[in-house]
Amino acid sequence: MPATSILEVKGLVVEYKASRGTLRAVDGVNLEVMRGETFTVIGESGSGKSTLGLAILRLIPVKDGEIIFNGINLLKLKEREIRKIRKSIQIVLQDPYASLDPKMKVKEIVSEPLIGSGEREGIEEKVNKALELVGLDRSFSERYPSEFSGGQRQRVSIARAIVGEPEFIVLDEPTSNLDISIQAQILNLLLDLQERKNLTYLFITHNIAVAKYISDRIAVMYSGEIIESGDARELITNPLHPYTTELISAVPSKGFKEKLGKFNFKEVIHNVPPKGCKYAPRCPFAKEICWNSRPKLVKVKNNHDVSCFLYS
Amino acid sequence: MNKVLEIERLSILYRIRERKFRAVNDVYLSLEKGEILGLVGESGSGKSTLAHAIIGLLPVNAVIESGSIIFLGKDLTKVRYKDFHKFRGYRGMTMIFQDPMTSLNPTMTVYEQLEEALIERKQRIGWGDFNPFIKIFPQNKRKIRGEFEKEVLEALNKTGIRYAKEIMRKYPHQLSGGERQRVMIAMNYLLKPSLLIADEPTTSLDVINQFKILKLLLELREELGTSILFISHDISLVLQIADKVAVMYAGSIIEEGISDEIYEKPLHPYTIGLLKSIPTKFKGDGRISQISGSPPDPMNLPNGCPFHPRCSFAYELCKRNYPNLLNKSGRKVACHLYS
Amino acid sequence: MRINYVLNNYSLSIGIFIIALFLLLSFISFLDLKLLTSWDPNELMFQYSNLPPSPSHIFGTDQDGRDVFSRVLAALPTDISIPFIVAGLSVIIGSAVGIVAGYFGGIVDETLMRITDLFLAFPSILLALAIASILGQANLNDRLYYSEIALVVVGWPVYSRLVRGQVLQLKGMPFIMLARASGLGSISIIRRHVIPNVLPLILVYVTLDMGTVILIYSILSFFGLGVLPPSPDLGRMVYDGLSSLPENWWSSVFPAIIITLMALGFSLTGEGLRDLMDRRLGYR
């Protein structure tokens, strides 16, 4: 079956006001997600990746750009019309404790997407099915979140996300606050659910190992821009952008202690140039052109794009 | 005296709403001078309780049921709360936490807090004595401040923090997470502790900042000979950075040994399971195996070995008898498979 | 487990006990005062004036020969209903303002908060006195209602600030954002998420507030702005008995003690509830 595009983001810009003026959390991002795949956005904190996820769900105001979901530009819709689509696009957030209203029972939490889209019948059945799919017993529906562990709460959040039979789910660091053994369970659960329900994921994380395990394609985000993207295996095995290389080399692995002894990352001493590549102050390979103009995302290999003057 | 810390038979009880449970169960640990000991444990393992017991910050509803914590020759379990401060700070122990925001005073500038640490050190005469009568009088303060500033700046520069002079005048909320952690490390350069307890110091940092902080910890150990107790739930990280590793589960140490050896050949099924839980494969190359179930409720531990309900190797004996920590040629393991 | 909290929490148990006692007495008094006392609270019997407390007159008699205890009992139904009505109305108005201001933000927030600040700027007692006396000139019979109105006008702004703060905190919580992502509208979110989460806080403050209301109302009625004579009223009884002080102290002091006791009951309950909430919050 030919791959069809389910989400297309064009030139997305999200700004917010900070004490120093307006900051661009998302600065002209383009991406395309195919149906049934897991598209992962990797970046450090402050890269804008979480903002990107929230913007796609239209939970925060967007300055410019297009978000095209199943052919419809979400940014052109009014709030009332968006509500009808909300069942199809869902989100799971990072904090398992703050994601669940402590005053609501699990069944009230999980049924929310159904209530929000105006459904009145068959709710209990759908909630029970969702709980079962995420590995929780039906009896959980009458209980309150305060009785559960982090892993169980994330399962409740996932149940809420899938109860309305969505097509697309944004997952913003869903396992970052969980223990390693629980993380493995949740990741495997997400993979299983994807197969069973033909779900498409936009996965956001800072953890390279997790990205490796869960992704079909990966985009690396730095300071609001996508600086490299492509097939997961290809990108991680042959990283092109210096930042990507930096990220991958910082992951603890064999020989880490020796690496810690010998190597260090460049400390940033300059400010970000207004016209140049945002990574230049940190880049060990920065040349003159990097300070004066911005590189664009270009295709370097099949399924591997990079935005860097080393390659263009 | 080569052992900085020696913990023997330590058990700690918690009292919550009239019920009691053991958060730490019969723990043996030792740390040599200049060694990095990693303590791995997930939620409910008791690792934080253990850390707090060592530094004397147990909450009021926790009590040391039995055992000893011997720090530089003195048994800390016999020290009263009001005397405990003598063991912290200069040449004693310090602690850095996961969230440096809450360990730094939000109403004091970076300089003021580091200066406080420095004054603390200068006021100590020798080890174990604290002369409260030597004060820095206000008229001397300005003269001394010049010298202090130099030393504070030196400590900050050692951590590689950029714009150290500006950072000194800032308040904690104006700094990033990585910068705050570096201020904590600078504080340690000033205090020169014998033991540094690092409780999940890099868990909330991104990979690159984590690298930088870990590098600084190693340098601290190199330069000052500080021993480090590195606590984390991330076994892959701990195995890479620590010399020795102890794995905790449900309040007990279930495996202990040299990191490289544990990495090559983990013995306890929990350790094996943890290592396998780390995602190493690409998508499409098959699933990673997972440990089923979740860590047990400390108030409701299973009979016998606390791990048996989740263990794929469990047999009859595991359900009845609690496995003791046995020595297997340098490695300690608490599992019936090896007895 | 919950009963345990209540029993171990002395403030809460004593406070609830006091309030329950007063409510019970008020209820019986309202239905049939004769069940509690044989004296008529309004009958003037000068032959019995200024008798000290005794087994037949537990609180003694006032200068007009009326049994103080009976008068106190007769005053209870009115006096105990006032904190409930006043605090109830204040909390409804104030919380509504606070929720709207906090949730919708922007210019709505600005406007509502400026109005709130305006009311908060005046010292409450003085403002209440002013409003009550001005309104009270119009129609003497409805003086009680005017006092209550004055108290509500003065009381609602505190809730507005309080609730707004709580709502602002709530707004940042992921589960609110997730409710929006589920397609719920603002009204639904306020109903399902905001109100249940601010309710505990409101409950604590409303209880504490009731204690304050009793005291302020007593001051108002002391100055003659409460119910009209001959209906008994605790605050006015204190005033009336002033001239008999200090020899015939009982006609002022006992009503004053009862006022204090009622206020104490609410305060203790409020403090107890606050401890209960804190303890609950301590456990994740």
Side-chain angles (χ1 to χ4, degrees), chain A residues 54 57-59 83 86 89-91 93 97-104 108 112-113 115-117 146 160, chain C residues 173-186 189 191-194 196-200 280 283-284:
Chain A
L54 293 177
L57 255 91
R58 282 217 53 180
L59 290 172
R83 271 188 228 164
R86 289 218 183 271
I89 308 189
Q90 276 295 312
I91 185 166
L93 295 174
Y97 292 92
S99 291
L100 308 178
D101 187 334
K103 300 269 177 247
M104 287 174 97
E108 293 168 324
E112 232 173 31
I115 309 243
S117 68
S146 55
R160 170 175 48 196
Chain C
M173 298 289 272
F175 63 79
I176 299 278
M177 203 183 273
L178 287 166
R180 278 175 52 211
S182 296
L184 290 174
S186 302
I189 294 182
R191 191 171 37 95
R192 285 166 62 96
H193 292 279
V194 175
N197 277 293
V198 296
L199 216 51
R280 263 265 207 94
Y283 299 119
R284 261 268 199 94

Side-chain angles (χ1 to χ4, degrees), chain B residues 6-10 27 66-70 75-78:
Chain B
E6 192 152 13
I7 301 178
E8 285 188 1
R9 313 210 56 167
L10 186 66
V27 160
S66 62
S68 56
I69 303 175
I70 303 188
D75 187 355
L76 297 180
T77 59
K78 307 263 187 298

Side-chain angles (χ1 to χ4, degrees), chain C residues 203-255:
Chain C
L203 212 64
V204 169
Y205 275 93
V206 104
T207 317
L208 290 172
D209 197 24
M210 287 193 208
T212 318
V213 167
I214 291 178
L215 291 175
I216 301 190
Y217 172 72
S218 305
I219 295 179
L220 285 183
S221 66
F222 182 89
F223 284 116
L225 295 166
V227 275
L228 290 175
S231 301
D233 177 88
L234 291 172
R236 212 184 57 246
M237 281 166 74
V238 175
Y239 176 79
D240 288 339
L242 278 185
S243 46
S244 318
L245 288 173
E247 308 86 33
N248 307 320
W249 50 272
W250 47 89
S251 40
S252 266
V253 169
F254 281 116

